Amino acid sequence: MSAIRTTCGCTVAKMAQDAIQPGEKAVMEANLDLHGRKGPQHSRIYFATNDPDTLFTFLAFQGTATQDVEITPKFLAFGRLEGEEQPAKQIVVKRLQKGPVKLLGFAGDDPPFTARVDKRASHDKSETVIVVMPLKSLSPGTHQATLLIDTSKGEQEPRTIGITVWVAGEVTVLPSKLTLYAGQGPSTRFIMVNPGTVDKFDIERVEVPDDKIKVELKATSAGGYRIRISGLEGRRDLDGKSIQLHTNIREGHRVEIPIRVITGN
């Protein structure tokens, strides 16, 4: 037996042995992962043999998957925030089968959000309400995090919910940083700088961390700038440096565009 393949990534199959002698039996171990699926499910395992009467055959899984929980929403977007706004949004986890729901927190370090279970938010005992809020004084730009929820007492991977917020600064910068690869030769990038919470502004001067880096400014009809940055190289000494745009928004105001150099290690 050989060439075992499945019709979807949710199914994994393997044989205990490749050859079966006349009169013998063999065991095929197959795992069907229904995590996050619901409704009718169909999956097949195909394999080849050297039997001239049955060169190819298959085994079939068929059934109906039921979910243990319903999570609403599956992705949480706060949209645009200005200043120190700190709105709260809810995630509702409804238990369809018996068992606890446990809030594990956020993946990674220093998440830009807080999350807590609000036991008073619902009178339905099958529902768990999680309140999510962005931290105060987040830096301008996009902030993302992944919330982890355990619905299986640790027997399965936790459920994940993506959360995002965009914090408006006095100006918006896209992309907000320059990413280069170590050893990369001279390259050119473009950055858009537009008004955020201010109506208009001017860029009065630009500071670069290396004389080889050249910057060209072109005003746009949106009241911002299209910036052409050339001469960028993936040098390690540029990692952590920044290009600084000095504006007339107020005395000493500047916008920093960080440079990150990624190494192969």
Side-chain angles (χ1 to χ4, degrees), residues 38-51:
K38 66 177 180 179
Q41 303 293 316
H42 304 274
S43 181
R44 289 186 175 185
I45 303 171
Y46 291 91
F47 54 92
T49 78
N50 62 351
D51 183 345

Side-chain angles (χ1 to χ4, degrees), residues 3 58 63 90 108 117 137 145 153 168 177 192 201 217 229 243 260:
F58 68 88
Q90 292 184 346
V117 174
S137 303
K153 296 182 180 180
K177 64 182 177 182
M192 299 299 297
F201 69 97
L217 304 178
I229 305 173
I243 295 174
R260 183 186 177 196

Side-chain angles (χ1 to χ4, degrees), residues 39-254:
Q41 303 293 316
H42 304 274
S43 181
R44 289 186 175 185
I45 303 171
Y46 291 91
F47 54 92
T49 78
N50 62 351
D51 183 345
D53 296 326
T54 313
L55 293 177
F56 295 94
T57 189
F58 68 88
L59 300 174
F61 287 102
Q62 182 173 331
T64 301
T66 59
Q67 287 190 329
D68 55 350
V69 296
E70 286 182 351
I71 300 178
T72 307
K74 294 180 173 60
F75 181 84
L76 188 61
F78 280 87
R80 171 180 168 141
L81 299 184
E82 293 186 7
E84 294 190 0
E85 288 184 272
Q86 199 178 23
K89 287 183 177 288
Q90 292 184 346
I91 297 170
V92 179
V93 184
K94 185 176 181 62
R95 253 296 179 194
L96 304 179
Q97 301 177 21
K98 291 183 178 181
V101 173
K102 184 178 181 181
L103 176 61
L104 300 179
F106 292 94
D109 299 325
D110 300 322
F113 304 93
T114 63
R116 62 179 177 83
V117 174
D118 188 346
K119 296 182 179 180
R120 299 175 298 177
S122 176
H123 298 293
D124 187 341
K125 293 184 178 180
S126 67
E127 290 184 350
T128 299
V129 178
I130 300 171
V131 178
V132 181
M133 298 175 65
L135 298 178
K136 285 185 177 180
S137 303
L138 288 175
S139 60
T142 300
H143 299 269
Q144 299 175 327
T146 300
L147 188 66
L148 305 177
I149 301 173
D150 179 22
T151 61
S152 64
K153 296 182 180 180
E155 295 177 359
Q156 298 177 357
E157 291 294 320
R159 301 297 181 97
T160 60
I161 301 173
I163 305 174
T164 182
V165 64
W166 182 63
V167 180
E170 292 170 310
V171 299
T172 63
V173 182
L174 292 174
S176 59
K177 64 182 177 182
L178 297 170
T179 301
L180 306 169
Y181 291 91
Q184 180 177 335
S187 61
T188 299
R189 303 291 174 84
F190 291 89
I191 286 180
M192 299 299 297
V193 182
N194 289 310
T197 58
V198 298
D199 294 329
K200 60 182 180 179
F201 69 97
D202 293 322
I203 295 178
E204 297 181 329
R205 62 187 178 91
V206 179
E207 290 184 24
V208 295
D210 189 274
D211 291 339
K212 294 182 180 179
I213 299 175
K214 305 299 180 183
V215 177
E216 299 176 21
L217 304 178
K218 183 177 181 180
T220 67
S221 58
Y225 291 86
R226 180 177 183 265
I227 304 178
R228 182 179 186 269
I229 305 173
S230 59
L232 291 165
E233 295 180 309
R235 297 185 352 231
R236 296 189 180 186
D237 62 301
L238 290 178
D239 186 40
K241 302 290 181 63
S242 65
I243 295 174
Q244 299 186 18
L245 311 177
H246 294 259
T247 78
N248 66 342
I249 293 176
R250 61 179 180 275
E251 186 177 353
H253 181 266
R254 63 185 179 183

